[in-house]
Amino acid sequence: MFNALLLDKQDDRTVASIQAIDESRLVDGDVLVRIDYSTLNYKDALAITGKAPVVRSFPMVPGIDFAGIVEESTHAGYRPGDAVVLNGWGAGETHWGGLAQKARVAGDHLIPLPTGITTRQAMAVGTAGYTAMLCVQALERHGVAASDGDVLVTGANGGVGSFAVAILAKRGYRVVASTGRPEEAARLRELGAAEVIDRAALSAPGKPLQKERFAAAVDCVGSHTLANVCASLRYGGAVAACGLAQGMDLPATVAPFILRGVALLGVDSVYVPRARRVAAWASIAEDVSVDTIESVASVVSLSDAVEAAAALLRGEVAGRVIVDVNR
Ligand code: NDP
């Protein structure tokens, strides 16, 4: 038996409870992992509270991320005792995810934990930090360099945003952090932001072309914010768009694309090919200091994860929430 946070549907409502589950209910997968830690991403919060249809079938163990130790494996790449991490691949959406003491998954979806990172630190990073790295790598593949000028991060106090600020600053970029929580400005400066701006300046409908201010951007917010980001990128600039915290819409014009050669780079973290996953985690291990990782994270128990998910959706959480599934 193992403990898990289980989501079920009752009268069209999502109900979450901690349950003791028999291991025989774990199906589909050639690797059994004993989970040390999981985490709460925005998507997990939506799943746990039932605020969006993230979960595809019930009952479901949520949790799009986990890190732990291989207990059993018939996969050629993994042996008992290996430390592994998983991000996405439908965990917590189409099959049981990380908010549990055990998970059985396809070994092809795991990657070995990079040297120098503990399972706890891996979950402080989680899909949020991993997505931030994918965004930075997308910008750099496009040719963006630190010498090009200011890089904007929107939703800077969130999980993805916090890591994007830290990663960009470590790589020598001058980072402008946009936030709706000015009271967290000192934290953003500690992470490496050179300037902190009020997100209100970006969140209302704006002109199709605005002052050419930023060389590049990481956008966690979507909607009018992303439209304004595109409109204020310099000639040839690029934005890595990964989020929809303000909305899924994109009320923009093509002007920035056809008149300034601006590039809109979409970033998905769920089905990224393995080589890019491994490269992203290798860069996280290299570029993100343990101090930074520790400073952005707080830890909750499995039973506290439900309340923490609601707080995350209320915008009350700064940084990352690690879930100790054995507590
Ligand atoms: P968080 O909830 O931790 O952070 C979101 C941040 O967005 C908030 O902290 C806030 O930042 C800002 N925000 C919230 N509401 C609004 C609003 N109405 N208008 C403007 N800004 C707002 O989430 P994550 O960092 O985990 O994820 C960020 C986004 O990226 C989410 O939309 C998530 O779904 C998406 N995502 C996508 C992935 C992918 O694969 N493409 C992977 C991971 C996340 P502040 O307080 O600084 O204003």
Side-chain angles (χ1 to χ4, degrees):
M1 302 293 278
F2 66 94
N3 291 335
L5 179 64
L6 202 69
L7 303 181
D8 223 330
K9 269 276 186 231
Q10 279 175 17
D11 303 328
D12 237 27
R13 274 187 327 120
T14 300
V15 179
S17 60
I18 306 292
Q19 306 240 346
I21 293 175
D22 194 283
E23 215 175 282
S24 63
R25 289 181 70 188
L26 292 173
V27 289
D28 291 304
D30 46 13
V31 181
L32 177 68
V33 180
R34 194 182 71 241
I35 298 174
D36 289 341
Y37 296 97
S38 184
T39 179
L40 288 181
N41 296 281
Y42 192 77
K43 201 181 211 175
D44 299 313
L46 290 174
I48 292 167
T49 56
K51 291 266 160 56
V54 171
V55 174
R56 301 294 165 181
S57 65
F58 291 89
M60 176 61 69
V61 174
I64 64 171
D65 290 321
F66 64 75
I69 306 297
V70 171
E71 199 164 281
E72 292 169 10
S73 170
T74 54
H75 185 282
Y78 297 99
R79 288 194 304 199
D82 288 350
V84 291
V85 60
L86 181 135
N87 308 109
W89 286 113
E93 298 183 63
T94 53
H95 61 88
W96 285 12
L99 286 163
Q101 291 175 310
K102 296 210 176 171
R104 188 180 288 284
V105 294
D108 288 348
H109 297 173
L110 295 167
I111 70 161
L113 195 68
T115 315
I117 294 190
T118 64
T119 49
R120 183 180 177 282
Q121 289 158 356
M123 286 301 98
V125 174
T127 281
Y130 162 64
T131 302
M133 183 56 83
L134 292 173
C135 287
V136 173
Q137 291 182 329
L139 292 176
E140 292 186 342
R141 261 199 315 280
H142 184 73
V144 172
S147 55
D148 291 350
D150 289 6
V151 178
L152 174 69
V153 175
T154 63
N157 265 308
V160 180
S162 297
F163 273 100
V165 169
I167 292 166
L168 287 162
K170 172 78 192 326
R171 292 188 175 209
Y173 291 88
R174 185 175 187 280
V175 182
V176 178
S178 164
T179 183
R181 285 181 273 177
E183 67 278 13
E184 297 285 343
R187 196 186 79 88
L188 290 170
R189 286 184 197 279
E190 262 169 47
L191 285 175
E195 197 178 330
V196 178
I197 63 171
D198 188 335
R199 78 183 190 199
L202 293 162
S203 56
K207 291 185 182 159
L209 282 178
Q210 300 168 26
K211 187 173 167 230
E212 292 184 55
R213 176 144 187 226
F214 305 106
V218 172
D219 179 62
C220 305
V221 173
S223 192
H224 290 295
T225 298
L226 178 55
N228 286 320
V229 169
C230 292
S232 48
L233 285 172
R234 289 191 194 160
Y235 191 92
V239 51
C242 69
L244 41 60
Q246 184 181 8
M248 194 168 328
D249 57 330
L250 179 52
T253 76
V254 296
F257 311 114
I258 64 172
L259 298 176
R260 289 186 184 160
V262 158
L264 175 54
L265 311 172
V267 173
D268 161 67
S269 66
V270 180
Y271 297 112
V272 182
R274 184 179 169 79
R276 281 199 182 158
R277 275 170 194 272
V278 173
W281 273 100
S283 291
I284 287 165
E286 211 175 289
D287 278 7
V288 189
S289 74
V290 167
D291 285 351
T292 299
I293 292 176
E294 295 288 347
S295 75
V296 300
S298 55
V299 185
V300 300
S301 66
L302 196 54
S303 52
D304 288 339
V306 176
E307 175 43 35
L312 197 144
L313 288 191
R314 290 196 300 268
E316 292 168 7
V317 174
R320 304 274 301 128
V321 180
I322 299 170
V323 182
D324 181 345
V325 298
N326 298 299
R327 213 175 83 188

